[in-house]
Amino acid sequence: MEDTETAIYQANYQSAIINLVSMEREIKPLTLFQSTRDFVTAMTSAANPMEYPGYRQWYGKFYEYVEKQKTREPILGVLSHMLTLTGDISKGVPFGGPVTEPLFTGINNFIQSLGGSKKELREESQKMFLITASLAQWNHEKELIEKEWQTITSELELLQYQYDQILTSNMKMVGMNETLFYQQFCKENDAHKRFSYLSELKEICADFVAAEKTKSPKQWKEKIYYQMMDIQTLKVRFGTITSKMRENIQRYHTLIIRYRTDPYIGARIAALELKLKQMTDTFDRS
């Protein structure tokens, strides 16, 4: 009976440690994926109205109107001040927060100020207003997704920290050589050599369990049990974070589908689908 119990603990601890060390090759790619999402750069570009045909030239006329009228209309004075605070306008018109209402009001007032002799500018301004409105809503929904990425990044950093703590603890406990672990497993590209390392590691774990039982016949299970629970909790959290990342990528897909038929910004949004596919493929390979 005791031999059976020992064998069960040996098998369970072996499995836990194999899961633990294998996570090293799973967490690192996810961390790298987080820092190299080229798709986000493409989205930022698509959200910048200055990159839409004719917008930059039109904006110059609109801004000139705001500056001329800011002492006469309080809302334009506020808008002028807020646009000044945002800095380099060539990087994009600010859409979020308190500036949205003054911006929309300012564009509306500009359009209303254009008489019949400026029909062409009036029609152009109405089009640019629609582009501005569509991009403002796009940016709002995009930023909600990006906010979730910030949460995911924080969780991934915490997971990495806890992983390192648990890995170090178990390495010391069973007498694993940290240098060999990184050389023969983490950095090893030969699958057969990695398998050989894991086989040796399983033997080390089995020997450790047997030695602990001999050393502490009444308390040997407790220390091993708590380590296995820590590893199990870590594995579950890793799975949860991975699922969150997949769900957030899917939110991009849903967002693109909704906006790709927009008559004013749809073409630029639809062009993001290829970048999104590349990002999805990168994630699936991670």
Side-chain angles (χ1 to χ4, degrees), residues 211-238:
E212 281 296 301
K213 182 180 179 182
T214 301
K215 185 171 63 176
S216 306
K218 295 183 179 181
Q219 298 178 326
W220 67 278
K221 290 183 288 186
E222 183 175 330
K223 180 164 63 174
I224 298 170
Y225 173 80
Y226 284 125
Q227 289 295 336
M228 290 192 296
M229 289 301 98
D230 285 344
I231 295 170
Q232 176 64 22
T233 300
L234 197 69
K235 190 70 175 176
V236 170
R237 289 190 62 245
F238 174 75

Side-chain angles (χ1 to χ4, degrees), residues 6-24:
T6 303
I8 290 174
Y9 262 81
Q10 285 175 322
N12 288 341
Y13 188 55
Q14 286 173 330
S15 177
I17 292 298
I18 296 303
N19 277 327
L20 180 65
V21 298
S22 297
M23 283 179 66
E24 172 71 23

